[in-house]
Amino acid sequence: MKIICIGRNYVEHAKEMNAALPSTPIFFMKPETALLRTRDFFYPKFTSNLHYECEIVLKIDKVGKNIDEKFAHTYYSSCTLGIDFTARDVQQNCKDKGLPWEISKSFDQSAPLSKTWIPLKDSTKEIKFQLEKNGKVVQSGSNLDMIFSFDQIIAYISKFITLKKGDLIFTGTPAGVGKVEIGDNLKCLLMEKEVLNFNIR
Ligand code: MG
């Protein structure tokens, strides 16, 4: 199982990062060990600027390579929410040196994932989601604001990498990313329903 994450998929988030809008999807990967399987997240020692990024996550249902965009919708049937934790200071340091920024994104527990999946019959319908930090809404998103749709993402990734049943795709984060500190609580809401709730320790 692999986790593929899309970067810069919302205009307002690209702006807040002072990053150019991509002409094709940008993706990177996290290993399976990035999944958070307990209720608590332990703040890593190697960063002092850890950011949350709440994202819609798709689960791939069947193997596919070079998937045509018009058939991409047959490769997934549900979605949920996850957090793409990012050590922003480590990432910036890597970017400044022109190095890959894997270590800022792919560390253990960097991908908390909800266990609640909702069926996705029609991905052209709006899927709204929110992240609350300590009870206050810090991110609000909608799949309709994505630069690249679910189907475009799947078509693009599968040109390079075979997708397999059980693979996860984090589809990018909307604007409002920010720091977490020890003691914070993060709560993700998908279509107004709480699907993930955990503490930073
Ligand atoms: Mg992200």
Side-chain angles (χ1 to χ4, degrees), residues 27-84:
F27 72 83
F28 58 92
M29 289 167 69
K30 292 180 189 259
E32 189 174 353
T33 44
L35 289 177
L36 177 65
R37 298 177 189 281
T38 62
R39 186 174 158 85
D40 294 324
F41 172 87
F42 291 91
Y43 197 104
K45 291 190 167 48
F46 53 79
T47 177
S48 53
N49 191 14
L50 185 73
H51 277 202
Y52 54 77
E53 296 187 358
C54 184
E55 311 195 1
I56 297 175
V57 181
L58 301 177
K59 184 159 54 189
I60 296 297
D61 289 341
K62 60 182 181 182
V63 68
K65 169 81 180 164
N66 285 319
I67 299 165
D68 193 297
E69 188 184 322
K70 66 176 180 285
F71 300 121
H73 69 277
T74 66
Y75 286 79
Y76 60 92
S77 56
S78 59
C79 74
T80 191
L81 295 178
I83 302 285
D84 166 22

Side-chain angles (χ1 to χ4, degrees), residues 52 130-139 178-189 196-201:
Y52 54 77
Q130 283 188 321
L131 175 67
E132 290 181 8
K133 184 173 94 168
N134 303 328
K136 183 170 165 272
V137 176
V138 288
Q139 287 192 288
K179 267 179 121 165
V180 290
E181 310 280 3
I182 291 171
D184 283 345
N185 172 263
L186 293 182
K187 188 198 287 186
C188 299
L189 297 112
L196 184 62
N197 185 335
F198 65 98
N199 300 314
I200 313 294
R201 290 184 55 189

Side-chain angles (χ1 to χ4, degrees), residues 3-196:
I3 305 166
I4 299 173
C5 307
I6 304 296
R8 263 183 248 171
N9 203 20
Y10 291 79
V11 173
E12 293 305 316
H13 173 61
K15 280 189 193 162
E16 75 179 348
M17 299 300 293
N18 292 315
L21 294 185
S23 53
T24 57
I26 297 168
F27 72 83
F28 58 92
M29 289 167 69
K30 292 180 189 259
E32 189 174 353
T33 44
L35 289 177
L36 177 65
R37 298 177 189 281
T38 62
R39 186 174 158 85
D40 294 324
F41 172 87
F42 291 91
Y43 197 104
K45 291 190 167 48
F46 53 79
T47 177
S48 53
N49 191 14
L50 185 73
H51 277 202
Y52 54 77
E53 296 187 358
C54 184
E55 311 195 1
I56 297 175
V57 181
L58 301 177
K59 184 159 54 189
I60 296 297
D61 289 341
K62 60 182 181 182
V63 68
K65 169 81 180 164
N66 285 319
I67 299 165
D68 193 297
E69 188 184 322
K70 66 176 180 285
F71 300 121
H73 69 277
T74 66
Y75 286 79
Y76 60 92
S77 56
S78 59
C79 74
T80 191
L81 295 178
I83 302 285
D84 166 22
F85 270 129
T86 305
R88 201 66 78 193
D89 45 356
V90 176
Q91 185 190 36
Q92 192 57 51
N93 192 28
C94 292
K95 281 184 179 174
D96 291 346
K97 291 179 178 159
L99 296 171
W101 30 260
E102 222 77 18
I103 54 167
S104 70
K105 288 277 197 181
S106 306
F107 53 89
D108 287 355
Q109 300 197 330
S110 62
L113 182 71
S114 168
K115 293 183 176 74
T116 308
W117 293 83
I118 65 158
L120 246 184
K121 290 193 184 71
D122 177 3
S123 64
T124 62
K125 280 207 179 131
E126 183 163 38
I127 304 160
K128 286 186 170 181
F129 63 103
Q130 283 188 321
L131 175 67
E132 290 181 8
K133 184 173 94 168
N134 303 328
K136 183 170 165 272
V137 176
V138 288
Q139 287 192 288
S140 287
S142 160
N143 61 318
L144 300 185
D145 293 332
M146 297 189 343
I147 298 171
F148 300 105
S149 68
F150 297 153
D151 295 352
Q152 287 172 319
I153 289 168
I154 285 172
Y156 185 78
I157 294 170
S158 71
K159 284 185 197 178
F160 304 94
I161 299 178
T162 300
L163 292 172
K164 295 176 89 172
K165 184 176 161 66
D167 286 350
L168 301 173
I169 301 177
F170 280 61
T171 59
T173 198
V177 299
K179 267 179 121 165
V180 290
E181 310 280 3
I182 291 171
D184 283 345
N185 172 263
L186 293 182
K187 188 198 287 186
C188 299
L189 297 112
L190 180 58
M191 302 300 272
E192 296 175 353
K193 183 177 177 233
E194 179 183 316
V195 294
L196 184 62

